[in-house]
Amino acid sequence: QVQLVESGGGLVQAGGSLRLSCAASGRTFSIYAMGWFRQAPGKEREFVTAVSRTGAITYYAGAVKGRFTISRDNAKSTVYLQMNSLKPEDTAIYYCAAGNAVSGNATLYDYWGQGTQVTVSS
């Protein structure tokens, strides 16, 4: 079992940056692929990015590629989402998740955090 806690959300102006963190419990953090998803009001949960257990493989949704970067520090049991050039359409609750494989399919992730709100103003 994995406990996940997101942090770093907040209010930022369009064009600005935020860095989200997801802290995981347990010494087995490194066996999980990690992903970030987001959900805006009135929309379904959307894949953002994911990273393999070693960090060797990353996937990005087309909407964020080139602007967002996922990384992980297995020694700290933490995954990060660096968000640059933010747009109002990035406004959402951001969730981190842990699973057995790198995937954009939310159903393949077993553990989820409670989310952190990101609001981008124009």
Side-chain angles (χ1 to χ4, degrees), residues 1-5 21-36 51-55 70-80 96-99:
Q1 183 170 301
V2 179
Q3 304 282 339
L4 303 173
V5 180
S21 298
C22 176
S25 66
R27 58 182 174 85
T28 58
F29 173 76
S30 62
I31 74 172
Y32 296 103
M34 299 295 298
W36 286 96
V51 62
S52 64
R53 64 191 67 191
T54 66
I70 189 171
S71 61
R72 67 189 298 161
D73 186 338
N74 287 344
K76 296 182 178 180
S77 297
T78 302
V79 63
Y80 304 96
C96 67

Side-chain angles (χ1 to χ4, degrees), residues 4-112:
L4 303 173
V5 180
E6 303 95 336
S7 63
L11 176 65
V12 65
Q13 188 175 353
S17 298
L18 284 174
R19 190 191 193 201
L20 306 184
S21 298
C22 176
S25 66
R27 58 182 174 85
T28 58
F29 173 76
S30 62
I31 74 172
Y32 296 103
M34 299 295 298
W36 286 96
F37 294 77
R38 65 188 183 185
Q39 188 165 22
K43 295 185 177 180
E44 296 183 358
R45 187 166 296 187
E46 175 189 22
F47 169 72
V48 178
T49 182
V51 62
S52 64
R53 64 191 67 191
T54 66
I57 302 170
T58 57
Y59 293 144
Y60 293 92
V64 306
K65 191 173 184 178
R67 299 189 297 120
F68 292 8
T69 303
I70 189 171
S71 61
R72 67 189 298 161
D73 186 338
N74 287 344
K76 296 182 178 180
S77 297
T78 302
V79 63
Y80 304 96
L81 181 62
Q82 179 66 48
M83 309 165 67
N84 298 328
S85 301
L86 283 162
K87 305 174 181 179
E89 51 262 45
D90 295 319
T91 295
I93 300 174
Y94 283 71
Y95 301 90
C96 67
N100 293 322
V102 182
S103 176
N105 187 344
T107 66
L108 298 182
Y109 290 84
D110 299 310
Y111 307 102
W112 294 81

